[in-house]
Amino acid sequence: MAFAGLKKGGEFNAITAEIVLSTGRVIKLKTASILTLTIFENINEPAMSGQLIFQDAFNLGSVGPLIGQEYLKIKITTPSVDDEDYEIDSTKQAYMITSIRDRQDIGNGVQAAMLEFVSREMVINNRQRVRRTLVGSYSEIVEELLAKDLMCSKKLFVETSADNKKIISTNNTPYSIINQATKHAISNNHRDATYYFWETSRGLNFRTLGNMYNQPQFNI
């Protein structure tokens, strides 16, 4: 079967790319200057991360201070197996840039630079500490941590757990508590104890293997 519009793995079309400095200034990257974009999704990782390599013809470091608190807004489409391209849009839920490194001269006064970025929730998690008692099922506690402590407004795919717990947190990060929940929660529907917590471009997931296996089959 020939995939509609799909020529090779990893191809994408960049629609927009912007860097928002800590001063509030917005730098628009020309889509033609983007050399490589890699976005990592891992079922064993709570947040998405990635790398962007681009032609830095304007010397980004001289435009504004780069202190590791910049935002990256990108919107791309990728060819899919049907007629409609799949869209990844972070213009409303921007990534946070963690480093700019590996600058190399590529000729004509132009440098290639690599940005490393991660989901905003991961940066907040590293700074946030939970110091209160959490009561409810593990799935309810996960939803509370995401909304209240990580200020997450992304789509959530949370499978209801059957337990009712009381967690006394004295100085833990939200993700460390969620990691604890994945080890002890039991699904209300499948009676399954194989919970995972991870992020995809569609949203955040707190689900069991049984729930994942129960998804509609993709036929090609």
Side-chain angles (χ1 to χ4, degrees):
M1 175 180 177
F3 291 164
L6 188 62
K7 299 181 178 63
K8 61 180 180 180
E11 65 177 306
F12 67 91
N13 296 315
I15 307 301
T16 183
E18 298 178 347
I19 297 175
V20 183
L21 302 178
S22 57
T23 59
R25 181 174 179 179
V26 178
I27 299 175
K28 295 182 180 293
L29 300 179
K30 294 181 179 180
T31 55
S33 70
I34 298 176
L35 303 177
T36 303
L37 174 64
T38 306
I39 299 177
F40 300 100
E41 294 180 1
N42 189 328
I43 194 173
N44 293 310
E45 296 294 335
M48 293 172 60
S49 60
Q51 298 174 341
L52 172 67
I53 301 177
F54 66 100
Q55 294 178 350
D56 186 7
F58 46 83
N59 191 2
L60 182 60
S62 66
V63 175
L66 301 176
I67 58 178
Q69 296 181 4
E70 296 75 34
Y71 289 93
L72 174 65
K73 297 182 178 182
I74 54 177
K75 183 177 181 180
I76 65 173
T77 59
T78 60
S80 64
V81 295
D82 52 32
D83 293 331
E84 184 176 354
D85 289 348
Y86 178 68
E87 184 178 87
I88 299 177
D89 186 357
S90 69
T91 55
K92 295 182 180 179
Q93 300 285 347
Y95 296 106
M96 289 197 72
I97 298 172
T98 57
S99 68
I100 300 178
R101 61 188 184 91
D102 291 347
R103 291 182 176 274
Q104 293 185 0
D105 292 324
I106 57 176
N108 298 323
V110 178
Q111 289 185 326
M114 182 173 73
L115 301 178
E116 293 185 332
F117 57 88
V118 71
S119 294
R120 173 176 170 271
E121 290 78 13
M122 175 60 80
V123 177
I124 296 176
N125 173 76
N126 293 337
R127 300 171 179 170
Q128 184 72 289
R129 293 296 181 271
V130 180
R131 300 181 180 91
R132 67 180 186 277
T133 300
L134 302 165
V135 180
S137 66
Y138 277 122
S139 57
E140 291 172 340
I141 290 173
V142 168
E143 290 182 310
E144 177 184 339
L145 290 169
L146 291 172
K148 183 174 182 179
D149 298 274
L150 295 177
M151 295 173 285
C152 177
S153 58
K154 296 176 180 176
K155 288 185 178 181
L156 303 180
F157 302 92
V158 176
E159 181 181 357
T160 304
S161 60
D163 36 33
N164 190 37
K165 298 294 180 179
K166 182 178 182 180
I167 300 175
I168 301 175
S169 176
T170 56
N171 195 37
N172 300 302
T173 64
Y175 279 166
S176 67
I177 300 174
I178 293 175
N179 182 58
Q180 177 185 345
T182 63
K183 298 177 181 179
H184 300 287
I186 299 176
S187 168
N188 188 48
N189 295 326
H190 303 282
R191 312 306 299 178
D192 191 348
T194 58
Y195 269 92
Y196 284 82
F197 177 72
W198 78 102
E199 182 184 9
T200 71
S201 58
R202 299 181 186 274
L204 289 156
N205 300 266
F206 181 72
R207 300 160 55 197
T208 63
L209 289 176
N211 180 272
M212 287 182 270
Y213 294 154
N214 199 38
Q215 297 304 301
Q217 183 178 358
F218 175 66
N219 296 314
I220 60 174

